Amino acid sequence: MGALPKTPYFAEINRYSMRKILAFALLGALLSGCVSNKKLTYLQRDESSTEELYEIQRTKYLVQPNDILSIRIRSLDPSTQLFTASQTGNLNGGDLVFYLNGYTIDSEGNVELPILGKVYVEGMTIEDAELAIREGLGEYFKEIFVSVQLSGIRFSIVGDVGRPGKYTIYQNQATIFEAIALAGDGRITANRQEVEIIRQYPEGSRIFTVDLTSSEVLRSETYLIQPNDIINVKPLHVKSYGIGTTGFQTIALSLSTIANILLIITTVNNL
């Protein structure tokens, strides 16, 4: 049997079918390609909830090898000037100089100080490390003042952010939002609902998954970052699929794809 004649009736059916295909294709692309505002907004709360206080979990950080401690020692004894190299650097050159002139914990967990020598501090809290150093120096000096703190919070951030890399925040505590802001914030295609934090412990590493779009993150133990944290901001599926991140981009890409498909169909039908 020969092919059916191309009557106006069949042509109209074909045109109607093509319009339906085009409409459904555009609708599907828009629904799958656009990033909703709900996935972009941080710290969302239930509209029915009243104002409440979020208690921050302040977990004790345990000192690890390669951490850098800033140790300030004061006494009337002039011999304590041996410890003032990093202190004067801090006063004259700012936080970065102080960071570079701090006391690094070696691979065996010791911090080495003048006169006192090596003091084992690995696995201790900052307060316990301060106490150990004060007790050691108390054998050599009277009425000595010792202050120990971390020389900044070093962390790495990778994934779908503006400027992935390794950063240091020169303060005693910092939130995950400060860390992400320092890296240029998450891109529009970043998955803010499944941000991973790889945290280092003396016995190994642990992976946390946090939802930054929920206000409940304020109660999480990962709200405050810790030294050596790795923050992994994964992309949404729309980026993995290569679909546009805005409505205009999605429509443009969809129209281009559909136009190519229609061109192929027309070419085949005319053969």
Side-chain angles (χ1 to χ4, degrees):
M1 295 179 63
L4 292 174
K6 296 182 180 180
T7 62
Y9 173 74
F10 287 107
E12 182 63 29
I13 292 178
N14 289 335
R15 284 194 295 271
Y16 176 72
S17 299
M18 284 299 179
R19 284 197 295 269
K20 287 180 65 178
I21 293 173
L22 180 60
F24 280 117
L26 285 174
L27 179 61
L30 284 172
L31 292 176
S32 63
C34 295
V35 180
S36 66
N37 187 62
K38 190 173 183 179
K39 294 182 179 180
L40 297 175
T41 306
Y42 293 116
L43 300 174
Q44 299 174 48
R45 293 194 309 157
D46 187 350
E47 295 181 357
S48 61
S49 63
T50 57
E51 184 176 351
E52 58 182 314
L53 181 66
Y54 294 89
E55 184 176 354
I56 297 176
Q57 295 190 32
R58 303 181 187 277
T59 57
K60 294 288 187 179
Y61 175 71
L62 303 181
V63 174
Q64 302 176 38
N66 298 320
D67 281 345
I68 298 179
L69 299 179
S70 62
I71 302 174
R72 302 186 67 183
I73 299 172
R74 296 176 181 173
S75 174
L76 296 177
D77 192 321
S79 299
T80 56
Q81 293 181 0
L82 292 169
F83 301 93
T84 61
S86 63
Q87 298 173 31
T88 56
N90 178 45
L91 296 174
N92 298 327
D95 291 336
L96 183 57
V97 174
F98 181 68
Y99 171 76
L100 294 175
N101 290 315
Y103 295 92
T104 302
I105 300 173
D106 63 25
S107 59
E108 297 179 350
N110 298 306
V111 59
E112 187 167 5
L113 298 171
I115 300 177
L116 188 58
K118 291 186 177 181
V119 180
Y120 185 79
V121 294
E122 181 180 0
M124 295 183 181
T125 64
I126 296 298
E127 294 79 8
D128 289 340
E130 181 179 291
L131 179 60
I133 294 172
R134 184 185 299 115
E135 289 179 345
L137 291 174
E139 299 180 6
Y140 300 92
F141 308 101
K142 294 182 178 180
E143 298 182 359
I144 192 167
F145 171 81
V146 179
S147 174
V148 178
Q149 63 182 8
L150 288 169
S151 294
I153 301 173
R154 295 182 296 172
F155 68 95
S156 299
I157 183 164
V158 296
D160 204 16
V161 293
R163 297 183 299 274
K166 192 170 184 177
Y167 293 90
T168 301
I169 297 179
Y170 298 105
Q171 55 193 47
N172 290 329
Q173 72 175 35
T175 69
I176 187 172
F177 293 103
E178 290 178 291
I180 292 178
L182 192 60
D185 200 5
R187 296 193 179 98
I188 194 172
T189 51
N191 188 350
R192 292 162 172 80
Q193 296 176 323
E194 296 181 9
V195 175
E196 290 182 343
I197 297 177
I198 299 92
R199 180 155 293 173
Q200 314 299 322
Y201 294 93
E203 63 275 10
S205 302
R206 181 180 173 188
I207 299 178
F208 298 86
T209 300
V210 294
D211 181 0
L212 299 184
T213 66
S214 171
S215 60
E216 291 300 313
V217 70
L218 299 175
R219 295 191 175 98
S220 170
E221 61 182 301
T222 57
Y223 176 61
L224 295 177
I225 65 171
Q226 292 188 2
N228 306 310
D229 275 356
I230 300 173
I231 303 171
N232 179 24
V233 183
K234 297 185 291 186
L236 289 166
H237 291 304
V238 291
K239 184 169 184 180
S240 301
Y241 297 151
I243 302 174
T245 57
T246 65
F248 177 78
Q249 289 178 353
T250 301
I251 292 175
L253 289 171
S254 300
L255 287 176
S256 176
T257 302
I258 293 171
N260 289 330
I261 293 173
L262 292 177
L263 178 62
I264 293 173
I265 293 174
T266 302
T267 303
V268 172
N269 288 337
N270 290 333
L271 292 177

